């Protein structure tokens, strides 16, 4: 057991304004400011900025209780709002990068921060240096760092794979519905229609708070965009007041609010839908699954035509969309292809969740 002040001293060197500007991010630690998108709010006069050397621990004094810290991979300078710590003893940077993100230590940072509210909490060196911690020998620090580093690289690769699958899915849907690829043995002409000729459109309606419950009594009630999680429909409220129904296989389109444009294939047998939703139910010439993917293709275009969060996507916009419809046989082939991509994406997202869960569990066990 020791104090953080036994491990780290504060680096207060200033006056070197020509070094690279660094920033501390919540998720990625210390990075060159040039690699971060967004407005650069740094001062033109950087003579008072703090010097950072490779291996220093840098943290945002106002956000340390949220885990805004990281080990610097390079030399540079940071805003005076940051605190820079330099090692006093031989340590494993990888170990301490993880240690300073651990839940128990983050809680200690919160308890030792000064200020009346979370907006003003501040953790300077005099407060952090007194925090007591238990650390293993350097050899064990290195082994822990190697293990966590391997897991981090695996997670990063999985994130990249999921992102690539999402891009491939978007590209595949666009290619299908702009007819740049064919799923028929012979070239067939897709018939032109307005969506209103192909679907029945059911608009939702809100309920008074007294008309729904959270005890599972009645019919499931889809209250808004939060009921669509990763393309799947979930419910947490129910109602016994019969009003606006949607059924299994309907395509749900979020037409109002911050989630406007989100699309889901309804998995429940029967639900009530709030006014944030429209339910698209295809007629005989279009399969339910094809309707879902077609709506997914149209959703961004319809969202861009929306007049605002309140007005959102109106019925007229949906019904007047000009679309091209292939024969049923080709629809089924298209759905099979796109469903395979969707299944692969869901599988790889599940792997990513498992990896993140493993890391979280290890962090809780390693840094007690």
């Amino acid at each position: 057991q020791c104090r953080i002040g036994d491990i780290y001293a504060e680096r207060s060197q200033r006056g070197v304004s020509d070094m690279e500007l660094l920033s501390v991010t919540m998720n990625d630690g210390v990075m060159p400011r040039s690699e971060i998108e967004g407005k650069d709010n740094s001062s033109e006069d950087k003579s008072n900025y703090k010097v950072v050397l490779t291996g220093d621990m840098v943290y945002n004094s106002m956000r340390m209780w949220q885990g805004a810290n990281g080990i610097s991979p390079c030399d540079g300078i940071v805003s005076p709002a940051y605190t820079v710590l330099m090692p006093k003893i031989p340590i494993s940077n990888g170990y301490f990068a993880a240690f300073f993100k651990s839940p128990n230590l983050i809680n200690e940072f919160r308890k030792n921060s000064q200020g009346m509210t979370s907006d003003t909490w501040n953790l300077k060196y005099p407060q952090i240096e007194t925090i007591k911690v238990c650390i293993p020998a350097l050899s064990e620090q290195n082994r822990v760092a190697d293990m966590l580093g391997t897991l981090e690289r695996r997670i990063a690769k999985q994130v990249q794979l999921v992102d690539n699958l999402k891009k491939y899915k978007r590209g595949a849907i666009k290619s299908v519905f702009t007819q740049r690829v064919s799923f028929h043995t012979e070239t067939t002409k897709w018939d032109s229609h307005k969506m209103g000729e192909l679907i029945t459109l059911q608009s939702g309606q809100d309920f008074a708070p007294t008309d729904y419950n959270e005890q599972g009594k009645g019919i499931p009630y889809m209250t808004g965009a939060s009921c669509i999680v990763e393309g799947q429909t979930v419910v947490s409220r129910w109602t016994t007041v019969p009003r606006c129904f949607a059924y299994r296989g309907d395509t749900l389109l979020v037409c109002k609010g911050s989630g406007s444009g989100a699309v889901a294939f309804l998995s429940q047998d029967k639900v009530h839908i709030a006014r944030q939703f429209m339910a698209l139910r295809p007629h005989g010439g279009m399969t339910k699954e094809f309707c879902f993917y077609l709506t997914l293709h149209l959703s961004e275009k319809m969202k861009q035509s929306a007049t605002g969060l309140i007005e959102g996507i109106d019925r007229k916009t949906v019904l007047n969309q000009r679309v091209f419809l292939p024969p049923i046989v080709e629809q089924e082939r298209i759905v099979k292809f796109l469903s395979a991509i969707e299944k692969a994406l869901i599988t790889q997202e599940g792997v990513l969740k498992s990896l993140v869960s493993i890391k979280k569990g290890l962090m809780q066990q390693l840094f007690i």
Side-chain angles (χ1 to χ4, degrees), residues 171-184 190 330 334 337-338:
I173 290 173
K174 184 176 180 180
S175 295
V176 165
F177 291 105
T178 55
Q179 301 178 61
R180 285 187 288 179
V181 295
S182 176
F183 288 82
H184 202 277
W190 291 21
E330 191 166 358
I334 289 169
F337 168 66
L338 295 177

Side-chain angles (χ1 to χ4, degrees), residues 87-133:
K88 297 170 66 175
I89 59 175
I91 60 172
S92 166
N93 286 331
Y95 178 88
F96 277 87
F99 186 33
F100 270 51
K101 295 281 190 181
S102 61
N104 288 343
L105 196 51
I106 293 292
N107 188 48
E108 288 297 316
F109 295 153
R110 181 187 60 79
K111 289 192 297 185
N112 284 273
S113 294
Q114 296 183 332
M116 297 298 293
T117 67
S118 59
D119 289 336
T120 60
W121 286 346
N122 202 312
L123 186 70
K124 296 292 189 181
Y125 183 71
Q127 288 77 50
I128 197 174
E129 72 166 336
T130 62
I131 296 175
K132 292 181 179 180
V133 294

Side-chain angles (χ1 to χ4, degrees), residues 288-304:
K288 293 178 180 179
E289 294 80 6
F290 188 85
C291 180
F292 164 72
Y293 285 113
L294 177 59
T295 307
L296 202 59
H297 169 64
L298 296 171
S299 61
E300 190 61 34
K301 178 182 176 183
M302 292 190 291
K303 182 180 177 180
Q304 290 174 357

Side-chain angles (χ1 to χ4, degrees), residues 87-364:
K88 297 170 66 175
I89 59 175
I91 60 172
S92 166
N93 286 331
Y95 178 88
F96 277 87
F99 186 33
F100 270 51
K101 295 281 190 181
S102 61
N104 288 343
L105 196 51
I106 293 292
N107 188 48
E108 288 297 316
F109 295 153
R110 181 187 60 79
K111 289 192 297 185
N112 284 273
S113 294
Q114 296 183 332
M116 297 298 293
T117 67
S118 59
D119 289 336
T120 60
W121 286 346
N122 202 312
L123 186 70
K124 296 292 189 181
Y125 183 71
Q127 288 77 50
I128 197 174
E129 72 166 336
T130 62
I131 296 175
K132 292 181 179 180
V133 294
C134 291
I135 59 171
L138 180 58
S139 59
E140 187 171 353
Q141 292 179 34
N142 288 327
R143 287 195 291 271
V144 171
D146 288 343
M147 179 188 65
L148 291 177
T150 299
L151 185 55
E152 283 286 357
R153 289 189 292 274
R154 178 66 182 87
I155 290 173
K157 290 290 185 182
Q158 193 66 24
V159 168
Q160 185 179 36
L161 176 58
V162 169
D163 288 344
N164 287 341
L165 278 170
K166 287 179 179 179
K167 291 177 183 177
Y168 181 70
K169 176 186 171 183
R170 289 194 296 268
I173 290 173
K174 184 176 180 180
S175 295
V176 165
F177 291 105
T178 55
Q179 301 178 61
R180 285 187 288 179
V181 295
S182 176
F183 288 82
H184 202 277
T185 53
E186 298 178 2
T187 302
T188 57
K189 183 179 179 181
W190 291 21
D191 296 327
S192 176
H193 299 273
K194 283 187 176 181
M195 278 292 280
E197 300 168 1
L198 303 173
I199 63 167
T200 298
L201 187 62
Q202 171 68 61
S203 296
Q205 188 173 352
D206 285 344
F207 291 82
T210 54
D211 290 337
Y212 58 77
N213 64 85
E214 298 177 359
Q215 287 75 46
K217 298 177 181 179
I219 302 294
Y221 177 32
M222 303 284 292
T223 55
S226 60
C227 293
I228 295 180
V229 179
E230 297 179 354
Q232 304 298 311
T233 52
V234 296
V235 293
S236 58
R237 291 176 178 172
W238 290 259
T239 181
T240 56
V241 180
R243 200 165 291 174
C244 301
F245 293 129
Y247 300 90
R248 181 184 292 274
D250 284 355
T251 293
L252 294 186
L253 171 66
V254 179
C255 54
K256 294 179 175 64
S258 59
S260 181
V263 179
F265 190 77
L266 184 60
S267 55
Q268 285 80 16
D269 289 329
K270 181 180 180 181
V271 299
H272 290 284
I273 53 174
R275 68 184 182 89
Q276 288 94 333
F277 287 107
M278 292 180 187
L280 287 68
R281 193 170 305 131
H283 300 157
M286 179 165 59
T287 70
K288 293 178 180 179
E289 294 80 6
F290 188 85
C291 180
F292 164 72
Y293 285 113
L294 177 59
T295 307
L296 202 59
H297 169 64
L298 296 171
S299 61
E300 190 61 34
K301 178 182 176 183
M302 292 190 291
K303 182 180 177 180
Q304 290 174 357
S305 68
T307 53
L309 292 179
I310 297 177
E311 293 83 358
I313 302 170
D314 57 28
R315 290 178 60 91
K316 185 177 179 181
T317 297
V318 178
L319 296 174
N320 284 339
Q321 290 296 311
R322 177 62 63 179
V323 299
F324 293 90
L325 190 68
I328 290 290
V329 172
E330 191 166 358
Q331 290 181 39
E332 290 172 345
R333 289 172 179 164
I334 289 169
V335 167
K336 183 179 180 180
F337 168 66
L338 295 177
S339 296
I341 300 174
E342 186 74 28
K343 184 178 180 180
L345 178 56
I346 291 171
T347 298
Q348 296 306 325
E349 286 177 330
V351 172
L352 178 58
K353 284 183 178 179
S354 296
L355 289 168
V356 172
S357 179
I358 289 170
K359 179 188 173 185
K360 182 179 179 181
L362 284 172
M363 292 284 284
Q364 290 173 341

